[in-house]
Each structure stands twice: as C-alpha cells, then as structure tokens.
C-alpha cells in the first residue's frame, strides 16, 4: 500500500502570512493532485502535476512536484481568510495500482483576519 | 448539470442494520469510486468501478458491497452496519481512471449506534 504523509496536520496563521504544506512518500506516483475541501462539501480539485520538477501557479498558490515524483508541496503567498479549509494531496500510482487514488491525511488551514 | 449526487445526506443506523448509499452522476463518466473520510486519515478508497459491470476493491473494502449496472449509478451497500463504519462517505467520478480530476459529491454522514 502506498502512503502519502502530509504535514503539518494543522496550520493556524494570520492574514498576510505565507505557508507551505508538504506531501511526502517513499513511493513514486505517476501524478499528484491537490484538493481543497470546505465543511459539508466534497473535495474540489485545485491542480494536477504530472512531470517530475513541475511547478504550477494558481494565483497565490504555487504547487511543485518533486524531481523523483515522490513528494509535492503547496505554497500559499499572503494567505487570506478565504483560503481557510482542508487541503488534501492525492497520488495516482501506475502499474497494477493504476486507477487507485491515495490521499494524504490532510492539512486543516485556518487564516485569521 | 447536477454533477455527482449522493443520497441521503445524513443517516443514523443501529448496529446490524443494512442500508444502501446512493450515488448518481450525469457527466457520462466511466470511472466511479467510493471513499470514506475519518478524522486524521484523509480519504480512503473503499471500492471503485472502471465502467458498467466492472468493480474492484480499494483499500478498505470489508463490510461493503458495490455494483455498477449502469454508467450513471454506483450504490454502496452496508450489509450489517458496525460502529466502526461511522464515517463520512464520498462518491466520486472521473472521465477515466488516469490523471483526470475526480468530481466529488457532497457526502453522506453516517452514524452507527
């Protein structure tokens, strides 16, 4: 079973601060996705990274896929209260595990005004 | 477009009872899956289907059955509910089992007494 370790589990910061969430594994993933989930709703996809070393930017959010495709990070610049939510990384494995999505434990982000 | 629709939104069962969680999607997606979400554990894959008539087990399949008679519907059955199955259940669909985004429903919150 492939595992994704996400850290930190909780993050409480003030508006305007920067933050980074990490997603690490000992296994290689063919692609990695980041989702954001709000209370009472299902996760919503933010980005998919598929190439080792890939960097994608979505406004104030920067996503990076490690060169070896075993880790990823999400960096938020100048966080806003609207960024509050649960952030989840999820990896697609190839080979015989093709089609199975493995999720990290999630990071609960709270941004205080 | 309704997307992925899950019913019911909330359910309370007694130990030993059976029930079916419904999931329907109107996007003509081939790939559908069921996850459970527990605090501190992210989402864990229960069962998935790559098309009508085809289902397979995920990470935590014990105590659950699925069937996929149509492209649109993917019900999850609890055969004999146990307190350990208290969780929030999410259904998801995607165009295929690759790196396409998963579209999630809003979840069913299930409590087993």
């Amino acid at each position: 079973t492939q595992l994704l370790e996400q850290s930190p589990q909780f993050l409480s910061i003030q508006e305007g601060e920067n933050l980074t969430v990490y997603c690490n594994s000992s296994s290689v993933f063919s692609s990695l996705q980041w989702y954001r989930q709000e209370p009472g709703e299902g996760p919503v996809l933010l980005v998919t990274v598929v190439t080792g070393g890939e960097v994608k930017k979505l406004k104030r959010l920067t996503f990076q896929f490690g060169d070896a495709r075993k880790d990823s990070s999400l960096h938020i610049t100048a966080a806003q209260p609207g960024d509050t939510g649960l952030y989840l990384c999820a990896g697609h494995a190839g080979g015989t595990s093709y089609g199975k999505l493995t999720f990290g434990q999630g990071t609960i982000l709270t941004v205080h005004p | 477009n309704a997307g992925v629709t899950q019913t019911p939104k909330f359910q309370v069962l007694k130990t030993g009872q059976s029930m079916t969680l419904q999931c329907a999607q109107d996007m003509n997606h081939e790939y559908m899956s069921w996850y459970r979400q527990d605090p501190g554990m992210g989402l864990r894959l229960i069962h998935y289907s790559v098309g009508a008539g085809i289902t397979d087990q995920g990470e935590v399949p014990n105590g659950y059955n699925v069937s996929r008679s149509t492209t649109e519907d993917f019900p999850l059955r609890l055969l004999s509910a146990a307190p350990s199955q208290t969780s929030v259940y999410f259904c998801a669909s995607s165009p295929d089992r690759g790196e396409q985004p998963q579209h999630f429903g809003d979840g069913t919150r299930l409590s087993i007494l």
Side-chain angles (χ1 to χ4, degrees):
Chain A
T1 302
Q2 295 184 298
L3 295 176
L4 273 171
E5 296 290 334
Q6 203 171 327
S7 63
Q9 195 170 354
F10 302 95
L11 203 50
S12 180
I13 62 172
Q14 294 296 127
E15 183 176 2
E17 293 183 2
N18 302 332
L19 67 109
T20 302
V21 178
Y22 299 93
C23 186
N24 296 298
S25 176
S26 58
S27 304
V28 174
F29 290 95
S30 62
S31 68
L32 202 134
Q33 297 175 332
W34 284 91
Y35 290 83
R36 180 168 173 262
Q37 184 180 14
E38 301 204 33
E41 299 180 4
V44 176
L45 181 73
L46 295 173
V47 77
T48 300
V49 285
V50 297
T51 306
E54 182 176 5
V55 177
K56 281 192 174 179
K57 292 189 175 183
L58 188 66
K59 297 183 180 179
R60 293 176 294 100
L61 278 61
T62 302
F63 305 85
Q64 187 164 6
F65 201 14
D67 291 340
R69 304 207 314 275
K70 293 182 178 181
D71 57 272
S72 181
S73 63
L74 157 61
H75 183 78
I76 301 179
T77 303
Q80 300 176 359
D83 295 327
T84 293
L86 173 65
Y87 290 82
L88 295 155
C89 63
H92 275 282
T96 57
S97 297
Y98 193 65
K100 296 183 180 180
L101 197 60
T102 300
F103 278 84
Q105 309 97 312
T107 295
I108 298 175
L109 172 65
T110 305
V111 183
H112 301 279
Chain B
N1 262 352
V4 178
T5 303
Q6 289 185 238
T7 56
K9 291 190 183 303
F10 303 94
Q11 184 71 48
V12 179
L13 293 177
K14 294 181 179 179
T15 298
Q17 287 185 316
S18 62
M19 81 160 294
T20 299
L21 278 62
Q22 301 292 343
C23 175
Q25 53 93 7
D26 61 0
M27 297 172 283
N28 201 33
H29 286 170
E30 289 295 320
Y31 185 79
M32 296 185 74
S33 51
W34 276 102
Y35 296 86
R36 58 177 290 173
Q37 186 173 33
D38 302 293
M41 300 187 75
L43 280 81
R44 290 183 292 169
L45 182 65
I46 304 172
H47 286 284
Y48 66 102
S49 169
V50 301
I54 306 169
T55 64
D56 205 349
Q57 295 181 351
E59 181 186 353
V60 288
N62 292 342
Y64 307 95
N65 274 359
V66 292
S67 60
R68 185 93 180 272
S69 56
T70 67
T71 299
E72 294 78 19
D73 300 298
F74 191 42
L76 178 71
R77 297 182 186 85
L78 279 70
L79 306 174
S80 178
S84 61
Q85 293 178 304
T86 293
S87 187
V88 182
Y89 291 85
F90 287 97
C91 178
S93 74
S94 68
D96 62 36
R97 54 183 176 171
E99 285 79 21
Q100 297 293 321
Q102 302 275 322
H103 298 260
F104 284 87
D106 285 338
T108 294
R109 186 175 296 274
L110 183 62
S111 294
I112 315 295
L113 305 178

